[in-house]
Amino acid sequence: MKKVLTYTKFIGLIGLIIFLFAFTGNRNEKRKIKEVEIEFVEEQNLYINELTVNKLLIQNQVGVTDVGKEILVLNIVEKGLDTHKMIEDSDVYLTVNGQLKARIKQRTPVARVNAVVPFYVDVTGNTMPLSDNYSAHVPLVNNVSEREVSEVFPLLRKIQEDEFLKKHIISVYRNVNGHYELGLRVYGFEVVFGKIEFLDSKVRNFKAFYQKALKDKSLEKYKKVSLQFRNQVVCTIK
């Protein structure tokens, strides 16, 4: 009899624990989302602000705040954010106390194209619109259409990844022959890069020329520096 009583108490305790877990879970599911926190990651400048993100979080004119957690589908919220052309990736999740958090990774521009409707080119080679919040300090590309972005992108990416080029190159121009010319931040000579080929060799030659001319204090003497030929640098004196 004593064993039966102990067994009955044990079963009752298990039932009580299950009930409490179910009650707590149901109560947690019905809790309203009262706060939204937006965090921008891996970016130093905001091309998209919190107000814009909050607007993207609105579905059918109903905000995500004060919405029961059981009816909020997070992957749909993320997909809505990821459709914005300034956002590369988003991560939306709920905390145990009912706070909605959105972690936003912005796209990173590497160049600005001066077109009828100007636009950026990002690190993946895709286009993105200009921002009303911040203007990126990237090279200005002229005489390049959107369909020609894929052609010039390897050069733009090279400039973005190379600290020397990133420091000195401020513009890229595509001439009528389809060859590219580079504008420098300080010195006024024209750098004729030529076609988008042999990038490493041309950059290496240009660096060697620059360092030697800087040492010789002759950079001001040149009118044009051509890198069109893979294994040499051809200079024109003023």
Side-chain angles (χ1 to χ4, degrees), residues 93-177:
Y93 59 97
L94 288 165
T95 63
V96 292
N97 60 355
Q99 184 183 45
L100 181 73
K101 290 193 174 184
R103 301 180 80 246
I104 306 296
K105 186 179 187 306
Q106 300 178 112
R107 295 169 67 184
T108 304
V110 298
R112 172 174 173 161
V113 178
N114 189 18
V116 175
V117 180
F119 58 88
Y120 289 127
V121 178
D122 75 358
V123 291
T124 65
N126 294 312
T127 62
M128 59 184 284
L130 301 187
S131 170
D132 293 330
N133 301 311
Y134 183 81
S135 295
H137 299 297
V138 291
L140 182 64
V141 181
N142 293 286
N143 204 32
V144 169
S145 66
E146 189 169 341
R147 69 176 180 273
E148 292 163 338
V149 165
S150 60
E151 176 187 88
V152 70
F153 175 67
L155 174 58
L156 301 178
R157 186 63 186 267
K158 187 70 176 177
I159 294 172
Q160 192 262 346
E161 293 176 342
D162 189 286
E163 288 301 321
F164 175 84
L165 298 180
K166 192 174 182 179
K167 177 181 177 181
H168 292 286
I169 304 300
I170 61 171
S171 66
V172 176
Y173 174 77
R174 187 178 191 270
N175 63 27
V176 293
N177 297 319

Side-chain angles (χ1 to χ4, degrees), residues 33-205:
I33 298 170
K34 295 294 184 182
E35 184 180 355
V36 177
E37 180 181 313
I38 298 168
E39 177 188 359
F40 293 93
V41 297
E42 298 183 21
E43 294 292 344
Q44 67 279 12
N45 302 305
L46 295 183
Y47 301 104
I48 179 173
N49 57 27
E50 291 190 14
L51 179 61
T52 303
V53 175
N54 273 316
K55 288 181 179 178
L56 291 172
L57 289 171
I58 296 174
Q59 300 291 328
N60 298 321
Q61 305 302 317
V62 178
V64 293
T65 54
D66 293 321
V67 175
K69 291 198 292 183
E70 72 278 6
I71 66 172
L72 181 66
V73 184
L74 297 182
N75 62 344
I76 294 178
V77 175
E78 286 183 356
K79 287 179 181 179
L81 291 173
D82 292 344
T83 59
H84 195 280
K85 291 187 176 182
M86 292 290 185
I87 296 177
E88 179 180 325
D89 186 54
S90 65
D91 180 23
V92 180
Y93 59 97
L94 288 165
T95 63
V96 292
N97 60 355
Q99 184 183 45
L100 181 73
K101 290 193 174 184
R103 301 180 80 246
I104 306 296
K105 186 179 187 306
Q106 300 178 112
R107 295 169 67 184
T108 304
V110 298
R112 172 174 173 161
V113 178
N114 189 18
V116 175
V117 180
F119 58 88
Y120 289 127
V121 178
D122 75 358
V123 291
T124 65
N126 294 312
T127 62
M128 59 184 284
L130 301 187
S131 170
D132 293 330
N133 301 311
Y134 183 81
S135 295
H137 299 297
V138 291
L140 182 64
V141 181
N142 293 286
N143 204 32
V144 169
S145 66
E146 189 169 341
R147 69 176 180 273
E148 292 163 338
V149 165
S150 60
E151 176 187 88
V152 70
F153 175 67
L155 174 58
L156 301 178
R157 186 63 186 267
K158 187 70 176 177
I159 294 172
Q160 192 262 346
E161 293 176 342
D162 189 286
E163 288 301 321
F164 175 84
L165 298 180
K166 192 174 182 179
K167 177 181 177 181
H168 292 286
I169 304 300
I170 61 171
S171 66
V172 176
Y173 174 77
R174 187 178 191 270
N175 63 27
V176 293
N177 297 319
H179 290 192
Y180 288 88
E181 302 167 5
L182 309 179
L184 300 180
R185 187 179 304 278
V186 178
Y187 298 99
F189 58 83
E190 174 188 348
V191 179
V192 181
F193 195 86
K195 294 183 178 180
I196 309 298
E197 59 184 6
F198 309 123
L199 291 179
D200 291 338
S201 177
K202 289 179 178 181
V203 170
R204 186 166 55 250
N205 290 342

